[in-house]
Amino acid sequence: MTQVIARKEFIEMLRDGRVRWTGGIVLVLLAVAFLTGWTRHHELTRQHSAAQEATRKHWLTQGKKNPHSAAHYGIYAFKPKLPLAVLDTGTEPYTGVAVWLEAHKQNEFKYRPAQDATILARFGELTAAAVMQLLIPLLIIIMTFGAFAGEREQGTLRQLLSLGVPARRLALGKALGLLAGLGVYLVPAVLLGAGAILFASGTVESAASAPRAIWLALAYLLYFFTFAAIGLSVSAWARTPRLSLIALIGFWIVNCLVAPRAAVDLVKAVRPTPTAFDFAQNIAADLAGGDGHATPAARAKQLEARVLKQYGVSKLEDLPVSFAGISLQDGEEHGNAVFDRRYGELWDAFDSQNQMRNWIAIAAPLLAIRPVSMGMSGTDTAHHRDFATAAETYRRDLNRRMNDELRDHGKGKDFGHLVGDDFWSQVPDFHYIAPDASWAVRNHAVPFLLLLTSAVAAGILCYRTASRLRIE
Amino acid sequence: MLRNIIRYDLKNLLAERSIQAVAALFALLLAYGLWNGIRWNEHRRTTIESVRKEQQQRLAALPGRIAQAPSQGLPAFLDPRMPSVAGGREATPYLILPPQPLSGLSVGQSDLYPFYLRASTQSASNILSADEIENPDNLLIGRFDLSFVLVYLFPLLILALSYNILSAEKEQGTLALTLSQPVSLGRLMLGKIASRAAVLLALAIGASAAAAAATGAPVLSVPFALWLAVLLVYAAFWFALAVFVNLLGKGSAVNAVLLSAVWVSLTMVVPSALHMLAGSLYPVPSRVEMIQAMREASREATAKGSTLMARYLEDHPELTPGGSSTVNAADAASRSLAVQEETERLMAPVLGRFDRQLEGQRAILQRLQYLSPAVLAQGAMNSLAGSGPERFEHFRTQTVGFLGRWRAHFARLVLAARMLTPADVERLPRFVYADEDPGAVVARVALSWLGIFIPSAVIVLLSWMRMSRTRIVSA
């Protein structure tokens, strides 16, 4: 009997013009989003690898120079993209694409792609993720709002129940029919998406991101399930299809529109971040000794005394090494401590803003699926931070190598000490490997659990409302 | 008669619980948007204040430091008398884009572009790439400001109150009864729309006025009047759409589906599809390529080194030091000037490509924005709040001009091998932002307004033509 109900529901859904239209549009949009996502991904990946090669080449062929001049010349680090970024560009348009790794200071990422776009960018990017997060729930609403309420209004619900069909069976049948109907639209979409990713990045890279893709798919299934269960419950509860539709669209609006933006301003008010001006002022003050450490002049004195003692000599001229190299490295280390603290605070503030926003996901599942989707696609703030940290570690190593060279071989010449291309090639290339899927999942454990919780809660709600089905 | 309908309908509306809830919700959303706008405005104001304070303190102390410098024996790169040190760091002013009176009403693009920059003798493209610090997640989602409430949520509330103005009466069977009175269908609908508009517009206008007043903007001003005009025509569009859909003679649920679909298309799908279209037709190259080109250019310029100096002086005869002093071509400071100029010359075509592509995208937007009243309304509100891309472009142009003057000022000192004196601090170039021509803003907003008005008028006309054919009883 469940089968009969499911089949009826499925066929009705296929014949329903509203579902056909919405479903068709959603599919077309998904296809377009995949296609443009793929082209853009392809182009950006090409540019990134070309740029990474070029910056290395510039470094290797910079000619005869003092190591410290080379550190000032520095290199650029360009953030690579994971294959799944085809689906979800995430925060990429709003994080800079590159960072300059130079002597003395940790720089910020520059050039946010959204700055090179029109105001349309702020209406949202048409990515596969946006279609799945915003439009597929709408499709589900259109599929479900009349499931019970429609039969109730037409009076067929009374007939059905009078025939002795158990309400739970009816609900199960309808749910299965809905699932099949949704499958008609989602299965081609999933195949399309998998194809797009495979094409964008080749099989090896795609295979590496398979665990990420599986987690991603799981998260979206939970998200869709939540909407389907809520849709069925509201339809079972509402007296008329009109009321059911209005309630569901209301929920959709809160979920997709109101909650995310409201959360942004709320978390900003609760956990403010410094302005770029204050941030720079604080770092400058810390570097000048405002953080309780000695001032630069006093620090230089201490360093001098320490080095003289270490080498057992009484004058800098008697040192077997170049003091300039030691002093530069000391400056680097002082700076590094300051950068660690200030940038650490900033990233932590971003992180706690994001965590806070996660908890609001209890009321709006979009706030849970969005970070998970970005996290699995490698386009969230955590991945950005991971790359920034890797780049900064490389910068510090690079500077240390330059300063050590100056210290060990620059005796007597200091800034007149020149080295050539064979020395530059001793510095390893910057090579970044993105963290694996389990790291990304751990990062988003809270939204994942919230997705699961809301799916379970919506399932229970659906079961309970459907088993106490009112006829009128 | 019309007055009676409005009065009766208004009474009816105000007594209904669901309408009270919708109105209360709208008031709440507006208040939240208002509060966020006030906070944003305050944030900008205090930031600019502290930036100004830092500059003032630094510049006030500078003459004294310059006077003391000869006795301190500082290394050249720390000596504030050196033109390169003063022009690069010690004497540099901030270039400030002050908030406009209505800036609290629409954050727009202003969280994406810097509203203060620190001048220096560096290349302009380097200075302009400075960013304000912001959590990328927050930028991605966007702010809950008044314009968000008005562009996205206001239409939804309009549709929520009017998706069934006719269909409900038809379903209840009261429509035929009402129309048996001496009242036309057109007049009845007008009355119903007017009463709903009165409730929602009173709230929207009240919130806008409160926001303007709270951020210190004059309520009786041209920009605010235009703001209201945009608000009114945007509301008219959505009301007209609701009327038209009601006249199609379908049931309330169908109306709700249809209107939601139109809303989703116009506020979400069309804008992001246009964004994609503009990006595909005029792809802005990734800045990754620009960085690469910049490195190449500066390498090339550095390699040419001192040979550039002669050409530099040819290009700048006004900088050629007169009298007995000759330029020391080997002098690091003067050579770096020439190298920098050469780098910028080499970079100009690359940067031009970015500007041209972006220009192309804007041109497409100019033409295709008429497909979505939401895009038009948002654009107009951003323009009035001074948070649109045009004002930033305006600021950028002036910044580039000022930076050129700033660099030339110090180039003259460098080439003359002159050190700064305490009195020189007074004579440094100053930056004062000259705002956009108000006429240009009005023209832009007027075009957007027309872009919303014309389709609204067409829909009203179509509704009018449909009215006689509408069945007043359910089939």
Side-chain angles (χ1 to χ4, degrees):
Chain A
M1 178 168 24
T2 317
Q3 230 173 9
V4 177
I5 299 167
R7 193 178 320 135
K8 176 248 164 201
E9 203 68 19
F10 176 64
I11 291 172
E12 204 174 62
M13 208 168 279
L14 288 188
R15 288 180 183 162
D16 186 341
R18 293 172 301 200
V19 175
R20 265 195 208 171
W21 270 100
T22 327
I25 290 171
V26 165
L27 259 188
V28 168
L29 288 175
L30 255 185
V32 173
F34 278 137
L35 200 70
T36 47
W38 174 74
T39 351
R40 185 171 43 190
H41 184 86
H42 204 67
E43 173 60 16
L44 288 180
T45 313
R46 188 192 61 73
Q47 287 179 9
H48 277 241
S49 46
Q52 201 65 58
E53 256 169 50
T55 193
R56 176 68 178 170
K57 202 182 102 213
H58 290 160
W59 172 261
L60 291 176
T61 59
Q62 52 184 324
K64 275 214 169 306
K65 244 185 212 173
N66 181 266
H68 187 59
S69 310
H72 269 287
Y73 182 61
I75 71 152
Y76 271 91
F78 301 96
K79 194 175 161 216
K81 287 178 191 301
L82 293 181
L84 286 178
V86 171
L87 299 181
D88 193 345
T89 48
T91 58
E92 299 262 277
Y94 300 95
T95 52
V97 292
V99 63
W100 184 25
L101 311 176
E102 58 163 340
H104 306 309
K105 68 183 208 271
Q106 175 169 3
N107 285 312
E108 310 237 7
F109 278 69
K110 280 193 174 177
Y111 307 112
R112 300 171 180 166
Q115 290 169 330
D116 285 326
T118 60
I119 65 160
L120 293 173
R122 304 313 283 281
F123 282 82
E125 305 249 346
L126 183 56
T127 58
V131 176
M132 292 195 286
Q133 288 166 11
L134 305 174
L135 300 185
I136 288 186
L138 215 49
L139 175 66
I140 295 176
I141 288 177
I142 290 181
M143 284 177 167
T144 51
F145 80 93
F148 295 102
E151 301 228 20
R152 185 176 287 134
E153 195 182 49
Q154 289 162 8
T156 43
L157 189 62
R158 182 190 291 275
Q159 278 178 4
L160 270 174
L161 295 179
S162 71
L163 285 174
V165 180
R168 280 174 207 169
R169 270 241 155 127
L170 186 66
L172 186 64
K174 284 192 179 281
L176 288 176
L178 170 72
L179 200 70
L182 209 55
V184 169
Y185 296 99
L186 288 187
V187 171
V190 169
L191 292 177
L192 207 68
I197 294 163
L198 215 65
F199 266 114
S201 48
T203 36
V204 180
E205 262 193 297
S206 305
S209 48
R212 283 172 177 267
I214 290 168
W215 281 104
L216 187 70
L218 191 70
Y220 273 107
L221 282 180
L222 286 174
Y223 182 63
F224 297 153
F225 178 83
T226 308
F227 259 92
I230 290 177
L232 286 178
S233 331
V234 171
S235 184
W237 157 84
R239 211 170 287 276
T240 61
R242 180 176 75 98
L243 184 62
S244 160
L245 181 67
I246 300 292
L248 286 171
I249 289 183
F251 173 64
W252 181 86
I253 291 166
V254 169
N255 178 60
C256 296
L257 213 59
V258 178
R261 293 221 190 203
V264 164
D265 282 284
L266 192 68
V267 301
K268 270 184 76 70
V270 177
R271 185 78 159 84
T273 46
T275 60
F277 173 74
D278 285 336
F279 189 70
Q281 292 286 104
N282 287 341
I283 287 188
D286 285 1
L287 287 176
D291 58 345
H293 286 75
T295 56
R299 235 186 41 245
K301 279 241 160 52
Q302 284 167 12
L303 177 71
E304 203 177 307
R306 205 165 64 230
V307 172
L308 290 177
K309 200 171 150 213
Q310 186 193 336
Y311 286 93
V313 292
S314 56
K315 289 204 304 277
L316 284 179
E317 292 83 71
D318 296 341
L319 280 175
V321 292
S322 157
F323 184 67
I326 296 176
S327 163
L328 281 172
Q329 185 55 27
D330 183 66
E332 284 293 332
E333 262 146 38
H334 174 60
N336 292 348
V338 171
F339 296 132
D340 276 343
R341 202 179 59 247
R342 290 293 175 185
Y343 274 93
E345 276 170 11
L346 183 65
W347 285 111
D348 288 345
F350 288 170
D351 199 44
S352 68
Q353 285 188 343
N354 294 349
Q355 295 293 341
M356 240 184 275
R357 202 171 325 100
N358 282 345
W359 287 106
I360 305 176
I362 293 175
L366 178 77
L367 285 168
I369 186 72
R370 198 188 316 240
V372 170
S373 173
M374 295 193 298
M376 296 308 120
S377 307
T379 54
D380 61 344
T381 316
H383 277 83
H384 187 65
R385 182 179 187 173
D386 187 70
F387 180 75
T389 311
E392 176 62 10
T393 311
Y394 181 81
R395 183 187 78 85
R396 292 177 184 185
D397 178 64
L398 183 86
N399 276 309
R400 195 180 43 70
R401 283 167 187 271
M402 295 302 114
N403 295 335
D404 286 357
E405 167 64 23
L406 193 59
R407 179 193 65 198
D408 298 342
H409 304 112
K411 166 76 186 149
K413 288 174 288 189
D414 290 349
F415 294 106
H417 170 61
L418 301 182
V419 287
D421 290 350
D422 52 333
F423 175 67
W424 311 134
S425 62
Q426 286 172 27
V427 178
D429 196 1
F430 175 59
H431 191 65
Y432 173 71
I433 296 169
D436 60 2
S438 67
W439 178 86
V441 173
R442 271 199 311 278
N443 261 333
H444 294 293
V446 172
F448 244 121
L449 283 175
L450 284 175
L451 273 179
L452 189 65
T453 315
S454 51
V456 170
I460 293 173
L461 180 74
C462 182
Y463 180 79
R464 296 187 59 163
T465 39
S467 44
R468 279 189 241 134
L469 210 51
R470 287 174 312 178
I471 293 172
E472 291 293 325
Chain B
M1 193 66 201
L2 185 61
R3 217 194 290 154
N4 277 338
I5 299 172
I6 297 177
R7 205 173 56 200
Y8 169 75
D9 207 53
L10 206 53
K11 257 188 189 163
N12 226 345
L13 276 179
L14 294 178
E16 203 177 311
R17 286 267 294 283
S18 62
I19 308 287
Q20 285 170 3
V22 167
L25 180 70
F26 189 38
L28 201 72
L29 294 171
L30 284 170
Y32 188 51
L34 177 87
W35 180 67
N36 290 327
I38 294 172
R39 279 175 47 88
W40 168 246
N41 216 46
E42 191 55 25
H43 164 78
R44 274 184 81 167
R45 208 183 50 74
T46 51
T47 307
I48 288 174
E49 222 165 66
S50 54
V51 162
R52 282 218 172 99
K53 208 170 112 201
E54 193 275 334
Q55 172 181 334
Q56 209 172 18
Q57 284 172 352
R58 188 160 35 87
L59 289 185
L62 194 57
R65 292 178 51 209
I66 290 177
Q68 282 170 2
S71 59
Q72 287 176 318
L74 294 165
F77 69 95
L78 288 178
D79 192 332
R81 292 172 303 161
M82 293 292 289
S84 55
V85 174
R89 198 172 56 232
E90 297 298 341
T92 55
Y94 288 94
L95 316 179
I96 292 170
L97 176 64
Q100 264 191 338
L102 295 182
S103 69
L105 274 65
S106 179
V107 174
Q109 299 283 82
S110 60
D111 57 350
L112 202 54
Y113 299 112
F115 55 89
Y116 57 93
L117 296 163
R118 186 160 176 181
S120 93
T121 44
Q122 285 177 7
S123 73
S125 62
N126 206 353
I127 290 165
L128 283 164
S129 71
D131 282 325
E132 188 46 72
I133 286 180
E134 178 59 288
N135 183 346
D137 285 89
N138 292 345
L139 287 176
L140 170 67
I141 299 171
R143 305 295 289 264
F144 198 109
D145 56 359
L146 202 59
S147 74
F148 164 71
V149 180
L150 295 176
V151 171
Y152 284 89
L153 305 178
F154 186 38
L156 281 169
L157 295 165
I158 291 177
L159 299 182
L161 289 195
S162 38
Y163 76 98
N164 62 352
I165 38 170
L166 211 57
S167 54
E169 291 230 20
K170 214 150 86 177
E171 280 151 17
Q172 290 157 12
T174 47
L175 185 61
L177 208 62
T178 313
L179 289 181
S180 64
Q181 307 289 313
V183 58
S184 69
L185 181 60
R187 212 158 254 226
L188 177 71
M189 292 191 88
L190 193 63
K192 279 172 162 281
I193 292 295
S195 58
R196 281 159 175 80
V199 175
L200 291 179
L201 283 174
L203 288 169
I205 293 172
S208 299
T215 52
V219 173
L220 288 174
S221 66
V222 176
F224 189 71
L226 288 173
W227 176 278
L228 292 187
V230 171
L231 183 68
L232 287 175
V233 76
Y234 190 57
F237 172 81
W238 292 102
F239 274 121
L241 201 68
V243 167
F244 180 74
V245 167
N246 266 283
L247 287 171
L248 293 179
K250 312 271 195 232
S252 296
V254 178
N255 288 355
V257 171
L258 266 177
L259 289 168
S260 318
V262 174
W263 179 87
V264 170
S265 310
L266 293 184
T267 60
M268 296 178 133
V269 179
V270 171
S272 55
L274 285 182
H275 175 48
M276 205 166 69
L277 183 73
S280 318
L281 290 181
Y282 289 93
V284 177
S286 161
R287 292 280 169 179
V288 165
E289 290 203 331
M290 188 199 73
I291 294 170
Q292 223 177 311
M294 199 145 64
R295 297 281 270 189
E296 294 284 1
S298 82
R299 258 164 88 95
E300 206 180 316
T302 316
K304 286 182 198 162
S306 53
T307 59
L308 286 175
M309 205 55 217
R311 195 170 84 208
Y312 180 73
L313 288 179
E314 261 171 42
D315 291 350
H316 297 278
E318 78 282 5
L319 297 181
T320 313
S324 57
S325 75
T326 48
V327 178
N328 180 2
D331 181 51
S334 47
R335 188 160 63 198
S336 88
L337 273 177
V339 167
Q340 196 184 344
E341 184 116 333
E342 174 70 0
T343 310
E344 295 205 354
R345 199 183 62 79
L346 291 170
M347 278 306 288
V350 179
L351 293 174
R353 198 153 63 94
F354 277 88
D355 291 341
R356 264 199 315 283
Q357 294 297 86
L358 198 49
E359 210 41 63
Q361 289 203 4
R362 293 210 178 118
I364 288 196
L365 174 62
Q366 272 310 313
R367 268 175 283 145
L368 295 185
Q369 62 177 343
Y370 298 102
L371 290 177
S372 163
V375 172
L376 289 167
Q378 182 74 66
M381 287 179 182
N382 287 355
S383 279
L384 291 170
S387 59
E390 294 88 356
R391 189 161 185 255
F392 285 96
E393 199 52 46
H394 196 67
F395 173 62
R396 212 174 73 122
T397 314
Q398 286 178 45
T399 302
V400 172
F402 175 80
L403 292 174
R405 286 203 302 284
W406 180 259
R407 199 174 333 142
H409 181 86
F410 284 92
R412 221 167 279 133
L413 297 176
V414 166
L415 294 176
R418 253 198 60 201
M419 300 277 243
L420 261 77
T421 63
D424 282 338
V425 177
E426 277 288 295
R427 289 196 286 270
L428 294 174
R430 280 163 199 269
F431 179 82
V432 180
Y433 174 70
D435 224 324
E436 272 184 292
D437 170 23
V441 178
V442 171
R444 234 168 30 229
V445 173
L447 267 184
S448 304
W449 190 90
L450 272 178
I452 307 173
F453 175 77
I454 291 171
S456 318
V458 170
I459 296 172
V460 168
L461 199 69
L462 288 177
S463 310
W464 189 257
M465 282 157 56
R466 242 207 115 79
M467 213 164 275
S468 54
R469 284 188 284 138
T470 300
R471 302 165 61 107
I472 51 171
V473 284
S474 309

